[in-house]
Amino acid sequence: MSSSELVHSSALLSAAFVLYISIMFLPARAAVKLPPNETVPAVFVFGDSIVDAGNNNNMETLVKCNFPPYGKDFKGGIPTGRFSNGKVPSDLIAEQIGIKDAVPAYLDPNLQNQDLVTGVTFAAGANGYDPLTSQLMSVMTMSDQLNLFKEYIGKLKGLVGEEKANFILAKSLYTVVTGSDDIANNYFTARVRQLQYNVPEYTDLMVELASSFLQQELYYLGARRIAVFSAPPIGCVPSQRTLAGGLERACAEEYNAAAQLFNSKLSSKLDSLNSKLPHSKMVYVDIYNPLLDLIQFPRKYGFVVSDRGCCGTGNIEVTFLCNKLSPDTCTNVSEFVFWDSYHPSEKAYRTLLTPLINKYINRFF
């Protein structure tokens, strides 16, 4: 091949690659309208089982769900490692903004280059802001997830070049969903931190750790648009009703009070960070009140059952206890707010996320 032919061939390959990257940025059909001349090229996700899509699958931990009946309503009925019957919040955010249909796990062995360019989730089930929370269950800490993100950035720059990569990092939406396991599993169940902190002190620690993650790590790495989800009304989750709600399985109000205290401190901290970090758009997303209303008044939203999950008895089954041999698993998951004893169903997530996305989306611009 002559030198001129080589140059021509190289130019064609370069043009093809540019076209390929451009096609990957063509948005899916968005349900949410962004402001004029604004774009969200990717979604990056950090946190716990609410937004894990399978990162725990190959970890030496009991906290995984890559087996039936998990995923029975996901594409092809495949149990991907998502802690639900179908899609989880990260998938729905990407879908409604128009980025892609689902957000894959960064550690998915079948991950493709186009998945990297439009976003992945680094989240791990049973994670918390407190590293001890993750260590108790042998899952990735928030620092571990950040290390994967740093690795990801190197891969992204190799794929699209530094300029395009920096654009993606600055314009993308970052979603942080964690904290409930700190309160429910670490503080109130394992009770390790109770030996060191009372509830106000522990929620202070959680906020300090959240602030460090957001400011010193995520913002420093280029993140600007960051959705930080509040803790949920964790005391009203079916498993916590069973463990701490007495014979009547009432909501564990002590758990809810801790979540509310953490949320008020987190919201104030985000306001403070936004005031001192240039171009920072850290948005506090209140999931506590919408989920509590859904649990208290399920029929208002088209549900019937909110005090137990669909899988098995729904009182305690989660992860390996929710399996294809679990007796009494419901056949009408659309009536249940919760899929297992800890995680909402896809329908419940959709019910919650659609109004939340519309409420908060303009705050990132």
Side-chain angles (χ1 to χ4, degrees):
M1 185 181 288
S2 69
S3 58
S4 61
E5 288 174 319
L6 281 170
V7 170
H8 181 66
S9 177
S10 176
L12 285 174
L13 285 171
S14 297
F17 182 72
V18 169
L19 178 62
Y20 170 66
I21 294 299
S22 299
I23 288 170
M24 286 194 291
F25 279 102
L26 286 175
R29 180 175 294 178
V32 175
K33 187 176 181 180
L34 301 180
N37 303 316
E38 291 290 355
T39 183
V40 179
V43 172
F44 301 111
V45 188
F46 301 85
D48 60 23
S49 56
I50 299 300
V51 285
D52 185 358
N55 285 314
N56 277 7
N57 288 358
N58 296 312
M59 298 289 180
E60 294 296 325
T61 178
L62 293 174
V63 187
K64 58 181 71 176
C65 57
N66 54 335
F67 45 80
Y70 285 97
K72 77 179 194 69
D73 299 310
F74 195 70
K75 295 177 288 187
I78 299 171
T80 59
R82 287 170 170 82
F83 291 76
S84 188
N85 62 303
K87 290 184 176 183
V88 294
S90 44
D91 300 320
L92 300 177
I93 291 169
E95 172 195 300
Q96 295 203 20
I97 293 176
I99 297 171
K100 56 184 173 183
D101 190 51
V103 179
Y106 178 68
L107 296 180
D108 183 345
N110 299 313
L111 197 68
Q112 303 295 312
N113 284 341
Q114 60 264 36
D115 296 318
L116 289 173
V117 175
T118 52
V120 291
T121 176
F122 303 93
N127 162 277
Y129 286 115
D130 183 351
L132 179 61
T133 302
S134 302
Q135 291 159 5
L136 287 170
M137 301 308 295
S138 301
V139 302
M140 289 189 293
T141 64
M142 295 302 277
S143 292
D144 293 330
Q145 293 182 29
L146 277 168
N147 287 335
L148 290 181
F149 182 52
K150 291 172 186 175
E151 177 185 280
Y152 161 85
I153 291 172
K155 291 182 179 179
L156 181 65
K157 289 180 178 178
L159 275 173
V160 302
E162 186 156 357
E163 184 179 352
K164 188 69 171 180
N166 289 337
F167 173 84
I168 294 170
L169 295 172
K171 295 293 185 180
S172 293
L173 178 63
Y174 297 75
T175 305
V176 181
V177 184
T178 194
S180 62
D181 290 308
D182 291 321
I183 296 168
N185 297 342
N186 185 342
Y187 193 83
F188 284 110
T189 302
R191 302 193 176 190
V192 179
R193 289 302 195 194
Q194 284 192 23
L195 301 174
Q196 303 167 279
Y197 305 98
N198 59 30
V199 169
E201 291 168 341
Y202 188 59
T203 52
D204 283 342
L205 174 66
M206 289 174 63
V207 171
E208 287 173 19
L209 292 166
S211 176
S212 176
F213 172 80
L214 294 167
Q215 175 185 359
Q216 298 171 25
E217 299 287 354
L218 207 53
Y219 179 87
Y220 176 78
L221 291 170
R224 295 296 179 268
R225 299 167 172 172
I226 309 174
V228 185
F229 278 61
S230 73
I234 193 64
C236 294
V237 166
S239 62
Q240 305 311 306
R241 288 176 181 260
T242 302
L243 293 171
L247 293 176
E248 295 183 357
R249 296 186 63 252
C251 291
E253 294 305 335
E254 191 177 15
Y255 293 33
N256 283 352
Q260 287 178 299
L261 183 58
F262 166 71
N263 289 343
S264 65
K265 293 176 180 178
L266 177 66
S267 179
S268 296
K269 176 59 71 173
L270 294 179
D271 288 341
S272 174
L273 291 176
N274 282 329
S275 69
K276 68 180 183 180
L277 297 175
H279 309 295
S280 170
K281 297 288 186 180
M282 296 184 189
V283 177
Y284 172 82
V285 179
D286 173 28
I287 194 69
Y288 185 99
N289 289 297
L291 179 54
L292 183 62
D293 199 62
L294 179 57
I295 292 168
Q296 292 177 332
F297 307 104
R299 291 184 183 275
K300 184 167 76 171
Y301 300 93
F303 296 88
V304 177
V305 183
S306 63
D307 62 348
R308 59 187 176 87
C310 168
C311 189
T313 65
N315 292 336
I316 200 68
E317 292 89 343
V318 65
T319 66
F320 66 92
L321 294 177
C322 171
N323 57 67
K324 63 183 179 181
L325 300 178
S326 298
D328 304 319
T329 294
C330 77
T331 56
N332 52 343
V333 64
S334 64
E335 295 183 356
F336 285 73
V337 171
F338 290 93
W339 159 246
D340 60 19
S341 69
Y342 202 87
H343 305 97
S345 64
E346 178 183 332
K347 181 184 173 184
Y349 282 138
R350 284 191 181 278
T351 300
L352 291 166
L353 264 293
T354 299
L356 281 178
I357 292 170
N358 282 291
K359 176 181 178 180
Y360 290 105
I361 191 66
N362 285 329
R363 301 187 191 182
F364 296 101
F365 305 102

